Amino acid sequence: MALATSNRNAIQAAAGQIFLLAALTTVVGTTADAIATELYSKFYTDGSIRGALAAGITPWAVLDKNGYKDKIQGKEIKIDPNDGPEETIGLEDISYTGEITIYDVDAQHMKDVLSATATNVLTLAASATQAGRETLIAGGQRILADYMLLYRYPSRKAPGEFNNILVPKCTIAINADRENSKGKARDLKVTINAKAFDLLLDPVTNLPSLWLEDFVINPKA
């Protein structure tokens, strides 16, 4: 089994931007490579080059300085044999969650966070006698939308290129205390919960994937 070796070029900070789309329900590709490229092509003009953003793709929200915090947790399976110490024999499953805090807390972002629809946002057009407004009808939502999330940050290895974290299928959960005061900007903390994406199976175990991580290893030749 080949193991990784030390790589100081991989040491870097990861200030970046977050993007959000509706999760795919079908894919055209039939191999892991083809499906991964297809997923990236939803955000980029070219799913292999992963440079210029696709038409209409813009960052979803303004994140605070903590950026995108993710947590990966393997649920261990342990045995306690009579003739030796307790040992871990495998993983029951792996869970993946993310946490972000956004500053641009408006009706459209609240709609996305609550898995609401355009119907939940009432619009008043601006006129000579009234300002334009968007009014969110909130609290009645129960069914969570499935999203596809991308967090990208500049590569230290190759300036002008980006490393990516892509979650093919996830939901957004909200459980936040909002502060509306003179001493602090309004913000909103939300949690990203990855779901099993059975359109891209692990090539070894044949189990659904949870996320993809993409690193630039060499600049353009």
Side-chain angles (χ1 to χ4, degrees), residues 71-203:
K71 182 177 181 180
I72 304 161
Q73 187 170 10
K75 189 174 182 181
E76 299 175 340
I77 301 173
K78 294 185 177 183
I79 63 169
D80 192 0
N82 191 50
D83 59 352
E86 183 178 80
E87 59 184 79
T88 300
I89 62 169
L91 295 176
E92 182 176 338
D93 56 39
I94 297 174
S95 63
Y96 180 95
T97 58
E99 182 180 279
I100 58 173
T101 298
I102 67 175
Y103 281 131
D104 41 345
V105 187
D106 55 19
Q108 293 298 325
H109 286 90
M110 288 297 297
K111 169 183 67 68
D112 295 342
V113 167
L114 291 170
S115 296
T117 67
T119 307
N120 291 90
V121 180
L122 309 179
T123 302
L124 291 174
S127 70
T129 57
Q130 71 179 36
R133 294 182 179 274
E134 287 185 331
T135 302
L136 175 70
I137 302 175
Q141 294 74 29
R142 294 297 183 271
I143 299 174
L144 297 180
D146 289 331
Y147 294 110
M148 177 166 55
L149 178 147
L150 177 78
Y151 181 77
R152 75 169 192 171
Y153 57 96
S155 164
R156 175 188 172 189
K157 183 76 174 180
E161 302 288 344
F162 295 90
N163 297 332
N164 301 278
I165 300 172
L166 193 155
V167 185
K169 189 175 184 180
C170 62
T171 56
I172 297 178
I174 179 173
N175 185 9
D177 297 325
R178 294 198 300 178
E179 184 175 331
N180 302 285
S181 69
K182 70 174 185 178
K184 186 177 183 295
R186 300 182 77 240
D187 62 22
L188 184 69
K189 181 182 290 186
V190 298
T191 301
I192 311 299
N193 297 297
K195 298 176 69 173
F197 186 64
D198 57 9
L199 299 179
L200 175 56
L201 302 179
D202 184 287

Side-chain angles (χ1 to χ4, degrees), residues 17-20 53 57-61 109:
Q17 295 173 311
I18 195 166
F19 302 84
L20 201 68
L53 293 170
I57 299 298
T58 57
W60 175 64
H109 286 90

